[in-house]
Amino acid sequence: MAPITDPNTLANHHSVVTEYTTIDVALDFKASSVSGDATLKLKVLKDGVGEVVLDTSYLDIKCVAIDGKETTWKLDDRKEPYGSALRITLTNKPKAGDSIDVMISYSTTEKCTALQWMTPDQTSNKKHPYMFSQCQAIHARSLYPCQDTPAVKSPFTISIRSPLPVVASGLSTGSKKFQAGTPGTLVYTFQQDIPIPSYLFAVASGDIASASIGPRSMVYAGPEELLKCKTELEGDTEKFIQIAEKLVYPYPWTTYSVLILPPSFPYGGMENPNITFATPTIISGDKSNVDVIAHELAHSWSGNLVSNGSWEHFWLNEGWTVYIERRIQAALHGPQYFDFSSIIGWKAFRESVELFGADHEFTKLIVDLKDKDPDDAFSSIPYEKGFNFLYYLDRLVGREKWDKFIPHYFKKFHQKSLTSFDFKDTLLEYFSSDAEAAAALKTVDWEEKFYGPGLPPKPDFDTTLVDVCYLLADCWKSIETTQFEPKPSDIADWGSGQLVVFLEAITDFEKPLTPAVVEKMKDAYKFLDSENAEILSRFLTVALKAKDEKLYARTAEALGQWGRMKFVRPLFRLLNDCDRELAVATFKKNDNFYHPICREAVRKDLKL
Ligand code: BES
Ligand code: ZN
């Protein structure tokens, strides 16, 4: 394997590499800061290395010690969007193979992009403050100094002092009283023996209770929400794990739990090891959004054990994960669900390509992220282009052979990070002794697959589950010239995924509906009463495309309740097209509610 170059880190990880990380910090809810020590055990890779360069972003560095002795260091000027390199001098020039302990005493600052701190009145029961982290892609450096690249992995020991329960990305090793601390403050400890990259470090603390959802799984949530969360997730979680284990190999992380966060969590889910962080919008009462859990669980293999070496190869994380997620759905509900979900994904893919422009760099499978912020490249493209590439290879070599390659690939790169080129080499090598598969793989145009922008050819997905949705959408298309009379029974036995497909088909009409027709749909199908954000957000999309002024205020209201960027960003963009003043006012009003990552993204979207 060739060394991995990562344009999104300032660390000198080719000279020294993190072998072990120890985090020992305290949470200060009054000051909204984390402070304490991060200790990196570094292995020297080259003779005579003169300095250790670490990533930091808006950190307040107090002092640095090497092997217990204070040493000199300096913080470079900020280099956007990567932060300030922390340069630590190595006076006694070590040799290749040496190990050094670098301890940095620091605290996070107000500008930390990885953390959201919430006051009691920003939480659901309004009793206690809350904080949580989101480090992917390059925010870990604003939480602790590190080699913030997915090319580097290490085991972790984590100690966190807090007056409130703490969860973190490792196995809990207990909690005990902290001697010199304020009364009520405990120190919570965690151990992560499997080497993980910095972006998978995670912590949350607040009024968090827990309940069992399976033999190796718990759900963590606010005490008032706990029962609903347990009911939603209990049936499926263990089934998902067992199906994935059959497809890849046994789950090696011991436990798989889920933390349901407050509504400002900016993503659907985040695959933090041992404890997926998830948006409360997946708890819709009908289990219709548990695919997010199947997805985050699948990352336990694709991403967390086998990691993209840099964010330029992000498709290796997300494409594989979407592929495994869809295989789980197919195993559980039948093969049409693989295609159903792929059709929904294809639409998101197509729209992302349209949004960037079909020639745009970020529409390629491998993207050039030099001087770029990986958050700016984020879209459905790595997910769906990655998935479609893997599904293409699956069909090319045939399912039976492909299913033997899956565990081979995941074993080969177990606990490692790789690039697309390593993937290609491994695939070709694995099938080299199989003449038929090798001949099929000869037809792959790798240059086009890796660097061709825009959409690949669309596979022939089975449309059984979507056909009814398109038929009904067609009735709405021609409603003004036909006798079509909508009634609740049109959609009575539909799954929520089908409602999504129906609403997306309407959004796609060249000619939007008229406001009157939107009102008719609202009355017939009661979409505004939906507890499911997937449905409500799409209905509001239909309404805004139709310029239905009656629903602008309802959209603004929803934008104050959701912090998940998947819903918030498109709705802000549309509201901005309909009524810029309202969009800007809504953003300003909720500015404090949004997570820093979401706030920044919407700020850019609205060109503020
Ligand atoms: N790892 C991602 C979330 C992420 C990606 C955070 C990039 C930061 C930077 C997570 O696994 C994910 O893909 N979440 C999706 C879930 C969906 C595809 C089921 C989401 O948040 O919508
Ligand atoms: Zn993912």
Side-chain angles (χ1 to χ4, degrees):
M1 281 169 75
I4 294 167
T5 45
D6 178 350
N8 306 133
T9 180
L10 302 173
N12 61 340
H13 60 108
H14 294 299
S15 301
V16 288
V17 67
T18 310
E19 284 197 308
Y20 204 96
T21 304
T22 307
I23 302 288
D24 184 0
V25 292
L27 309 185
D28 183 339
F29 284 98
K30 286 210 180 71
S32 299
S33 78
V34 170
S35 61
D37 304 326
T39 307
L40 309 179
K41 182 170 172 260
L42 299 168
K43 189 166 96 187
V44 178
L45 300 175
K46 291 176 186 160
D47 284 340
V49 174
E51 59 175 0
V52 172
V53 187
L54 299 178
D55 289 300
T56 79
S57 178
Y58 301 119
L59 291 181
D60 184 6
I61 306 294
K62 309 237 153 80
C63 77
V64 180
I66 292 186
D67 296 328
K69 272 213 261 14
E70 222 181 299
T71 188
T72 53
W73 54 273
K74 94 178 225 299
L75 212 50
D76 281 358
D77 289 342
R78 252 190 100 76
K79 181 174 184 283
E80 289 300 350
Y82 304 132
S84 313
L86 171 61
R87 294 180 184 277
I88 303 164
T89 321
L90 294 175
T91 34
N92 50 346
K93 307 270 150 90
K95 288 204 173 50
D98 285 357
S99 229
I100 47 178
D101 265 352
V102 177
M103 180 167 109
I104 304 114
S105 302
Y106 74 99
S107 62
T108 62
T109 61
E110 206 184 38
K111 288 185 163 169
C112 174
T113 53
L115 298 177
Q116 185 169 24
W117 296 88
M118 303 166 71
T119 57
D121 60 77
Q122 287 177 300
T123 68
S124 64
N125 67 12
K126 313 207 181 299
K127 286 188 193 154
H128 299 280
Y130 197 102
M131 66 81 75
F132 66 89
S133 68
Q134 167 55 47
C135 287
Q136 196 182 12
I138 57 167
H139 300 283
R141 62 192 69 176
S142 76
L143 179 50
Y144 71 102
C146 56
Q147 296 188 311
D148 198 7
T149 165
V152 173
K153 295 180 167 190
S154 82
F156 275 67
T157 295
I158 304 164
S159 316
I160 294 166
R161 266 165 282 153
S162 175
L164 293 164
V166 175
V167 297
S169 46
L171 290 168
S172 167
T173 46
S175 60
K176 52 179 193 284
K177 276 205 185 109
F178 178 66
Q179 318 242 287
T182 17
T185 294
L186 298 184
V187 48
Y188 296 81
T189 52
F190 303 86
Q191 187 61 28
Q192 182 53 266
D193 284 331
I194 299 181
I196 58 166
S198 52
Y199 81 89
L200 291 176
F201 174 74
V203 52
S205 183
D207 190 4
I208 298 171
S210 63
S212 167
I213 50 167
R216 42 187 156 173
S217 306
M218 307 282 281
V219 64
Y220 294 82
E224 288 81 4
E225 290 82 35
L226 189 64
L227 186 60
K228 213 178 160 202
C229 297
K230 177 178 161 77
T231 312
E232 193 92 17
L233 303 178
E234 180 160 59
D236 290 309
T237 308
E238 177 62 20
K239 286 188 203 154
F240 292 162
I241 304 175
Q242 290 185 13
I243 294 169
E245 287 184 314
K246 276 207 205 101
L247 195 61
V248 194
Y249 48 65
Y251 182 78
W253 303 86
T254 314
T255 61
Y256 176 77
S257 298
V258 178
L259 169 69
I260 302 296
L261 286 117
S264 61
F265 186 64
Y267 292 97
M270 175 64 212
E271 65 272 25
N272 297 316
N274 295 105
I275 183 148
T276 282
F277 283 19
T279 166
T281 59
I282 68 166
I283 309 299
S284 47
D286 59 1
K287 303 187 192 232
S288 63
N289 296 308
V290 289
D291 54 330
V292 174
I293 300 302
H295 178 97
E296 303 315 331
L297 165 74
H299 273 303
S300 304
W301 292 268
S302 46
N304 298 7
L305 286 171
V306 176
S307 314
N308 52 210
S310 83
W311 302 114
E312 300 191 319
H313 305 273
F314 185 47
W315 77 272
L316 285 170
N317 275 17
E318 296 302 342
W320 266 111
T321 300
V322 170
Y323 180 83
I324 297 171
E325 173 202 335
R326 290 183 182 149
R327 291 291 301 269
I328 295 175
Q329 297 298 356
L332 211 52
H333 305 295
Q336 318 92 295
Y337 284 85
F338 183 98
D339 293 63
F340 182 63
S341 165
S342 306
I343 292 170
I344 298 179
W346 185 274
K347 179 159 189 293
F349 182 16
R350 186 165 50 73
E351 281 173 357
S352 294
V353 168
E354 278 162 16
L355 200 62
F356 280 126
D359 284 335
H360 196 281
E361 180 64 29
F362 296 163
T363 69
K364 299 176 183 173
L365 199 59
I366 302 176
V367 291
D368 181 354
L369 290 179
K370 192 172 178 294
D371 299 321
K372 297 274 180 346
D373 182 342
D375 279 352
D376 292 339
F378 181 80
S379 78
S380 294
I381 295 167
Y383 292 74
E384 299 299 335
K385 199 163 193 167
F387 160 78
N388 277 283
F389 180 47
L390 294 169
Y391 182 40
Y392 155 81
L393 294 172
D394 167 358
R395 282 170 293 148
L396 195 64
V397 301
R399 184 55 66 87
E400 206 178 312
K401 290 177 184 174
W402 178 251
D403 276 359
K404 294 205 175 79
F405 172 70
I406 296 174
H408 170 80
Y409 166 74
F410 283 97
K411 272 180 206 144
K412 173 155 184 196
F413 294 104
H414 182 82
Q415 299 190 1
K416 292 192 172 68
S417 305
L418 79 159
T419 65
S420 308
F421 317 114
D422 300 317
F423 168 80
K424 175 185 168 187
D425 292 348
T426 302
L427 180 78
L428 296 182
E429 189 193 289
Y430 179 81
F431 286 111
S432 62
S433 53
D434 176 332
E436 195 189 8
L441 286 169
K442 274 235 157 60
T443 66
V444 178
D445 182 348
W446 291 92
E447 184 66 21
E448 167 62 23
K449 289 292 175 193
F450 282 172
Y451 300 110
L455 292 170
K458 186 176 178 181
D460 260 328
F461 294 118
D462 174 320
T463 59
T464 315
L465 290 164
V466 293
D467 286 340
V468 282
C469 316
Y470 294 151
L471 265 173
L472 185 63
D474 278 342
C475 296
W476 284 89
K477 191 185 231 167
S478 52
I479 191 166
E480 281 168 319
T481 54
T482 59
Q483 307 298 311
F484 175 62
E485 266 309 323
K487 41 191 183 320
S489 63
D490 297 344
I491 56 165
D493 56 351
W494 284 20
S496 78
Q498 289 179 300
L499 296 174
V500 166
V501 171
F502 164 73
L503 288 166
E504 290 201 332
I506 305 251
T507 325
D508 252 10
F509 289 170
E510 234 166 84
K511 196 168 146 264
L513 300 183
T514 63
V517 173
V518 172
E519 291 296 311
K520 204 165 192 170
M521 185 182 290
K522 179 191 86 186
D523 296 336
Y525 300 158
K526 304 277 181 272
F527 285 135
L528 286 189
D529 299 340
S530 177
E531 262 199 72
N532 190 337
E534 296 282 350
I535 294 169
L536 181 52
S537 69
R538 265 127 178 146
F539 179 63
L540 293 172
T541 304
V542 168
L544 293 186
K545 288 220 160 164
K547 304 259 165 5
D548 182 0
E549 288 178 24
K550 287 202 181 113
L551 290 175
Y552 291 0
R554 184 69 185 82
T555 306
E557 187 194 331
L559 285 170
Q561 285 161 351
W562 300 324
R564 183 176 175 187
M565 292 193 281
K566 174 182 169 186
F567 303 134
V568 169
R569 292 184 65 186
L571 279 178
F572 259 120
R573 276 196 292 261
L574 278 170
L575 190 61
N576 190 51
D577 294 342
C578 293
D579 182 343
R580 174 156 176 92
E581 212 174 304
L582 179 61
V584 173
T586 305
F587 177 65
K588 291 203 169 137
K589 185 173 161 205
N590 299 304
D591 173 336
N592 226 356
F593 160 73
Y594 298 123
H595 186 280
I597 298 172
C598 176
R599 199 184 302 146
E600 181 59 18
V602 175
R603 204 184 52 73
K604 281 186 190 162
D605 289 342
L606 296 182
K607 304 197 166 60
L608 287 172

